[in-house]
């Protein structure tokens, strides 16, 4: 990771989102009734409170007293922090414009003098969504709400969906999903008389995240526990370094720009899949037109002939000849080139990178 991440405190989740959330971002937790959205919210705030952070709970439905009682039943002692590190912002009715345009900006302004990190929860956003039928007005208000609260820190927002049969995400939550920086979908399906709950990461901007469907359970005293495995296991972290290094050398031998080489290096650094990057590298080379084998001397020499043309007709002829020679010589590379490097390579040889890297 190149930046500090804010742990969510959701057991199992951080290992598949690069250690946590980016600061000043919005995470939307979407799910139907009973999937545990409020548990997510409480668990997220409690982790921060237990680690010396402040917390703001924006409730658009239940009063603070009821939230504190429900938290206690889950094993969260939120009362311990109430009105010292934990603050509630409770609003009723449909007067959300005043909340978003006046009250919350004033709160953010007052908080600027504090150096302690603040975790923010909006639980749930549903009343605001349902109270505004005009989609344009709804989008403008949610945009302003997210923008305002993100100035305090990372924000977790819950919203209830009512998706129709066959829908992945309900239509009523499409706008907040689009406007959020990250979105998690919670679902449950009855199987054999029991509820099988699962978690899926819909999106997580600027984050390498897991793409599986993860089952989860509720554990009193902990909250949500998701059954996940790290996106990149320790044994797989550097598994394909040799393949990427070979691809970099191949590109360099083909006269690729430093920009292209940096692109491969970046992919190497953040490759998070357990399967081979061979096919991805092949397509990358094809996309940038690196499909002919040529000598490095031909590339540098062609710049002096005509800067507007990549290769002169003379260099093309040389390329075709060297390509044929390279094909023959590269077949023997495993035996002949162990102690040295060839001046020519061929893009088709990327299909052998796994063997070479191995």
């Amino acid at each position: 990771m190149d930046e500090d991440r804010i742990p969510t405190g959701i057991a199992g989740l951080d290992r598949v989102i690069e250690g946590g959330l980016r600061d000043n971002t919005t995470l939307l937790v979407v799910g139907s009734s009973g999937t545990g959205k409020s548990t997510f919210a409480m668990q997220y705030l409690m982790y921060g409170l237990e680690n010396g952070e402040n917390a703001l709970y924006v409730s658009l439905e239940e009063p603070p007293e009821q939230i504190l009682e429900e938290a206690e039943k889950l094993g969260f002692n939120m009362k311990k922090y109430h009105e010292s590190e934990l603050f509630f912002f409770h609003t009723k009715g449909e007067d959300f414009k005043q909340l978003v345009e006046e009250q919350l900006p004033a709160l953010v302004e007052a908080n600027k003098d504090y150096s302690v990190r603040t975790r923010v929860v909006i639980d749930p956003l549903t009343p605001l969504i349902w109270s505004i039928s005009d989609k344009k007005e709804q989008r403008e208000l949610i945009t302003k709400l997210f923008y305002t609260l993100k100035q305090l820190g990372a924000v977790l927002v819950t919203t209830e969906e009512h998706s129709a049969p066959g829908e992945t995400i309900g239509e009523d939550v499409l706008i907040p999903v689009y406007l959020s920086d990250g979105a998690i979908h919670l679902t449950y399906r009855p199987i054999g008389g029991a509820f099988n709950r699962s978690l899926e990461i819909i999106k997580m901007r600027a984050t390498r995240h897991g793409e599986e469907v993860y089952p989860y359970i509720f554990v009193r005293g902990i909250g949500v526990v998701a059954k996940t495995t790290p996106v990149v296991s320790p044994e797989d972290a550097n598994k394909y370094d040799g393949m990427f290094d070979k691809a970099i050398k191949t590109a360099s031998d083909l006269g690729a720009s430093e920009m292209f080489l940096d692109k491969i290096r970046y992919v190497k650094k953040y490759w998070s899949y357990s399967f081979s990057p061979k096919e991805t590298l092949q397509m990358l080379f094809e996309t940038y037109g690196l499909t002919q084998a040529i000598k490095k001397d031909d590339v540098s020499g062609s710049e002096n002939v005509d800067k507007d043309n990549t290769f002169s007709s003379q260099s093309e002829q040389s390329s075709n000849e060297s390509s044929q020679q390279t094909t023959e010589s590269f077949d023997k590379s495993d035996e002949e080139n162990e102690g040295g490097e060839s001046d020519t390579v061929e893009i088709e040889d990327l299909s052998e990178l796994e063997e070479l890297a191995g």
Side-chain angles (χ1 to χ4, degrees), residues 7-53:
T8 63
I10 308 299
L13 177 60
D14 293 337
R15 59 164 58 167
V16 291
I17 56 171
E18 290 197 81
L21 306 177
R22 293 183 298 126
D23 201 4
N24 306 116
T25 59
T26 305
L27 173 65
L28 186 71
V29 179
V30 182
S32 57
S33 179
T35 51
K37 299 181 298 299
S38 292
T39 302
F40 256 75
M42 294 176 186
Q43 193 171 345
Y44 173 70
L45 288 191
M46 281 301 300
Y47 185 88
L49 292 169
E50 293 168 350
N51 286 276
E53 299 177 3

Side-chain angles (χ1 to χ4, degrees), residues 228-302:
T228 62
T229 55
V231 176
V232 181
S233 63
E235 57 269 21
D236 287 338
N238 306 111
K239 183 176 180 180
Y240 297 108
D241 281 2
M243 185 178 298
F244 281 110
D245 292 341
K246 180 62 180 176
I248 291 170
K249 179 185 180 302
T250 298
S252 178
D253 287 343
L254 288 171
S257 66
E258 191 62 30
M259 176 275 295
F260 184 83
L261 300 179
D262 285 341
K263 188 180 292 289
I264 300 179
R265 295 186 187 106
Y266 193 89
V267 175
K268 171 186 175 182
K269 182 178 181 181
Y270 291 102
W271 185 260
S272 59
Y273 301 100
S274 59
F275 57 81
S276 168
K278 178 179 64 176
E279 186 175 4
T280 299
L281 288 168
Q282 287 176 315
M283 290 187 286
L284 181 64
F285 273 72
E286 293 171 7
T287 299
Y288 281 84
L290 297 173
T291 56
Q292 288 186 336
I294 61 172
K295 292 184 178 180
K296 293 174 71 175
D297 291 343
D298 290 338
V299 177
S300 59
S302 66

Side-chain angles (χ1 to χ4, degrees), residues 46 114 147 157 180 209 240 256 262 312:
M46 281 301 300
Y114 294 91
Y147 172 79
V157 182
S180 65
H209 63 80
Y240 297 108
D262 285 341
S312 66

Side-chain angles (χ1 to χ4, degrees), residues 308-356:
D308 294 330
N309 296 312
T310 308
F311 312 112
S312 66
S313 59
Q314 182 178 0
S315 65
E316 289 178 358
Q317 181 178 356
S318 174
S319 173
N320 292 334
E321 293 174 355
S322 65
S323 177
Q324 182 177 359
Q325 295 171 356
T326 303
T327 303
E328 297 173 355
S329 63
F330 202 80
D331 290 337
K332 304 177 183 179
S333 61
D334 289 336
E335 300 177 3
E336 297 178 358
N337 294 334
E338 292 181 358
E341 298 180 345
S342 171
D343 288 335
T344 60
V345 289
E346 187 182 19
I347 186 61
E348 292 179 1
D349 294 320
L350 281 176
S351 62
E352 301 178 10
L353 288 179
E354 275 185 301
E355 291 76 8
L356 292 171

